[in-house]
Amino acid sequence: MHVTPPTPPVTRPVVGPARWQVFGPGLAALIGLFMLTVIYQFDGMSALQRDLGLSDLGALVVGLVSFVVAAALTVPVGLLLGTRAPTAVTIPAICFVFFGVLLVAFTNAGGLLAVGRALQGLGTGAATGATVALILKTRERRGVLAGVFAALAALALLLAPVIGQVISEAVGFRVIQLAAIPFLLVALVVSAVLGIVSLSAAKRQAPPIPNGMPYPPPGPTEFTGGA
């Protein structure tokens, strides 16, 4: 009896993420890190602390601790899912930061400020985790990407208090929060476009089925030998 050999299993080559996939979550993470320190200033009481009547301890707990704790909860999520579904992680992260910015911009009490800062932290942590995961999985120029992102992150953290102080002293702390919205919208559009491009590239890279068909065509069974 003639037996058709089984079709070998289809294997796909392991391909690391492309460098351009880092741009979406990376931009969202940098905006979030900027928002982390923008409510503070290096000398004296910040405009936000003064306008809301917060003590030094209250400003620390409400403005910083809530952000950092929330970010620590979502960094592992970004690390686990960042390479599998970067767009699915980045877009909700941007939305969290967006709504957090709105709450902080229109807050009149420390409780609402804490909620807004926690939302900002949730989004920043997820985007940062996804960015780190993508950089670690990138096969080409990994060190360059890591160095550039680390330098930009440090720059955002250091420049935010200076920029925030200048703008807040001139027009109030709410404006500096609302000024982040256009940048968040740009990050949202970039992430959506990169997600579509990544999906299209994955479909094009799918390998064809060996021999054109997964199974042999039906036909008569060939017997050898006789009664």
Side-chain angles (χ1 to χ4, degrees):
M1 180 177 63
H2 175 72
V3 178
T4 303
T7 304
V10 178
T11 58
R12 297 188 179 187
V14 177
V15 180
R19 293 192 301 272
W20 47 263
Q21 289 180 290
V22 181
F23 295 158
L27 180 57
L30 292 175
I31 296 172
L33 292 173
F34 182 90
M35 303 312 297
L36 171 60
T37 57
V38 75
I39 66 172
Y40 300 102
Q41 63 185 52
F42 292 117
D43 55 335
M45 184 181 295
S46 67
L48 181 146
Q49 182 181 355
R50 183 175 59 250
D51 292 350
L52 296 182
L54 299 174
S55 64
D56 292 339
L57 179 60
L60 177 65
V61 174
V62 175
L64 180 64
V65 174
S66 58
F67 189 111
V68 173
V69 171
L73 295 176
T74 53
V75 165
V77 177
L79 290 173
L80 290 174
L81 302 179
T83 55
R84 301 177 184 177
T87 305
V89 173
T90 305
I91 290 181
I94 295 173
C95 292
F96 276 121
V97 177
F98 178 84
F99 288 115
V101 163
L102 290 179
L103 287 179
V104 175
F106 295 105
T107 185
N108 288 313
L112 196 59
L113 174 63
V115 175
R117 293 290 286 174
L119 288 176
Q120 292 178 2
L122 290 174
T124 303
T128 303
T131 303
V132 172
L134 287 169
I135 291 175
L136 292 177
K137 289 290 184 179
T138 303
R139 294 177 177 271
E140 298 179 358
R141 297 185 180 274
R142 181 188 306 169
V144 174
L145 282 176
V148 170
F149 178 73
L152 291 176
L155 192 63
L157 291 171
L158 292 175
L159 288 181
V162 178
I163 298 174
Q165 180 178 356
V166 172
I167 296 178
S168 297
E169 293 294 337
V171 292
F173 76 90
R174 305 180 193 278
V175 175
I176 189 63
Q177 295 289 323
L178 296 176
I181 291 179
F183 296 96
L184 290 170
L185 294 177
V186 170
L188 187 65
V189 172
V190 170
S191 300
V193 170
L194 291 179
I196 295 173
V197 172
S198 178
L199 183 61
S200 301
K203 289 181 178 180
R204 289 196 302 267
Q205 291 175 359
I209 298 174
N211 301 325
M213 298 183 67
Y215 300 102
T221 304
E222 180 181 347
F223 291 94
T224 58

